[in-house]
């Protein structure tokens, strides 16, 4: 499969725990994005990498959220001290400049 | 702040009916425009995009969209829908040279009755 892969597909965690998600983009894509989608809403931008550099972060992204793309390939999104409001689908996408995104299937997070 | 509005949250059509989904955005500068589709249980897929040139853009599966700059609109159309078009449709806007960050509308859920 040469698409965008996200792992895990589903994550259930207790409030206060830390979680980490992984995204493997399409290999030749140098841009990688994280979005969050809640039920009945469109995806909301969280952060964006060009190669290994994190170029933009949404003001929605609290200091409990951190993302990395250490070698310009895969990326991780960590949420510390999870809260029930963090329950959502976390989407990763990748692209080349001036092209539309290719999205992954997402990681559905449920915080109980 | 830039925003994207999709006025129809739910649309129900019979097969062979024509479809038009509205999308308006608030940003006044140069924009790139997209429509994405999410079929039940699947990930978001690109239907079509507009960057420049002919404002009537043709996408996959018989969809098209028209960019009307004066109306800040990018409506999606299909002359004859099929049951397999049942999905959620998202309009998205990117400010030119803004790192490809997309602002999405809230989505329109389309149900096509066989």
């Amino acid at each position: 499969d040469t698409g965008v892969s996200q792992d895990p597909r589903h994550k259930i965690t207790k409030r206060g725990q830390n979680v980490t998600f992984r995204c493997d983009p399409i290999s030749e894509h140098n841009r990688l994005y994280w979005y969050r989608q809640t039920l009945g809403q469109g995806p909301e931008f969280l952060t964006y990498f060009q190669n290994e550099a994190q170029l933009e972060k949404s003001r929605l992204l609290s200091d409990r959220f951190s993302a990395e793309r250490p070698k310009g390939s895969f990326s991780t999104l960590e949420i510390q001290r999870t809260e029930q409001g963090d329950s959502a689908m976390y989407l990763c996408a990748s692209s080349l400049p001036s092209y539309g995104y290719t999205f992954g299937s997402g990681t559905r997070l449920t915080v109980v | 702040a830039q925003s994207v509005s999709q006025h129809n949250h739910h649309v129900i059509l019979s097969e062979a009916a024509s479809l038009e989904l509205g999308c308006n955005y608030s940003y006044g500068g140069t924009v790139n425009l997209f429509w994405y589709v999410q079929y039940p249980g699947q990930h978001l897929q690109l239907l079509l995009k507009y960057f420049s040139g002919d404002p009537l853009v043709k996408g996959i599966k018989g969809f098209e969209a028209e960019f009307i700059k004066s109306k800040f609109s990018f409506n999606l159309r299909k002359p004859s829908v099929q049951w397999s078009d049942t999905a959620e449709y998202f309009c998205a806007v990117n400010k030119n040279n803004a790192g490809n960050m997309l602002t999405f509308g809230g989505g329109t859920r389309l149900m096509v009755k066989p």
Side-chain angles (χ1 to χ4, degrees):
Chain A
D1 189 335
T2 56
V4 177
S5 299
Q6 291 189 245
D7 183 69
R9 293 291 301 272
H10 303 274
K11 178 72 177 179
I12 300 174
T13 191
K14 291 183 179 180
R15 191 171 45 188
Q17 298 294 305
N18 299 345
V19 294
T20 300
F21 310 141
R22 178 181 169 119
C23 172
D24 288 88
I26 293 173
S27 57
E28 57 266 31
H29 287 183
N30 62 344
R31 294 184 173 184
L32 185 147
Y33 313 83
W34 286 98
Y35 280 74
R36 178 172 63 191
Q37 186 177 19
T38 53
L39 203 61
Q41 301 294 321
E44 293 177 300
F45 172 77
L46 293 179
T47 190
Y48 149 61
F49 290 85
Q50 181 157 306
N51 300 312
E52 64 275 10
Q54 188 174 20
L55 297 187
E56 197 162 351
K57 285 174 63 172
S58 167
R59 285 169 287 180
L60 296 174
L61 212 63
S62 78
D63 57 7
R64 296 184 297 106
F65 287 71
S66 62
E68 293 182 341
R69 193 182 183 196
K71 297 181 181 178
S73 56
F74 74 91
S75 175
T76 57
L77 177 68
E78 182 183 16
I79 309 173
Q80 296 182 325
R81 305 181 303 282
T82 52
E83 302 172 357
Q84 285 190 318
D86 298 331
S87 296
M89 178 73 87
Y90 289 84
L91 299 170
C92 178
S94 68
S95 78
L96 292 168
S98 300
Y99 284 80
Y101 294 3
T102 300
F103 278 91
S105 297
T107 294
R108 183 172 296 282
L109 173 67
T110 303
V111 181
V112 297
Chain B
Q2 183 175 326
S3 71
V4 181
S5 299
Q6 292 182 242
H7 311 295
N8 314 101
H9 298 294
H10 297 276
V11 173
I12 301 174
L13 295 173
S14 298
E15 274 194 316
S18 64
L19 170 72
E20 180 159 3
L21 303 182
C23 173
N24 288 88
Y25 61 93
S26 63
Y27 182 65
T30 302
V31 293
N32 301 319
L33 300 155
F34 305 80
W35 276 96
Y36 282 84
V37 61
Q38 190 166 26
Y39 298 104
Q42 296 189 26
H43 60 275
L44 283 160
Q45 300 172 43
L46 181 66
L47 263 183
L48 48 79
K49 61 184 184 284
Y50 172 80
F51 284 0
S52 63
D54 188 343
L56 185 61
V57 179
K58 295 196 182 298
I60 60 172
K61 304 186 181 186
F63 286 91
E64 65 179 30
E66 185 175 12
F67 171 48
I68 302 179
K69 189 173 182 179
S70 61
K71 294 185 177 180
F72 299 90
S73 70
F74 190 56
N75 292 355
L76 181 71
R77 300 195 293 247
K78 185 170 184 179
S80 176
V81 294
Q82 300 172 312
W83 175 78
S84 58
D85 293 324
T86 294
E88 192 157 17
Y89 293 81
F90 294 93
C91 179
V93 175
N94 161 241
K95 288 187 291 184
N96 211 2
N97 299 321
N100 276 31
M101 185 192 92
L102 292 182
T103 301
F104 283 83
T108 297
R109 194 175 293 275
L110 171 67
M111 179 183 292
V112 180
K113 298 186 293 184

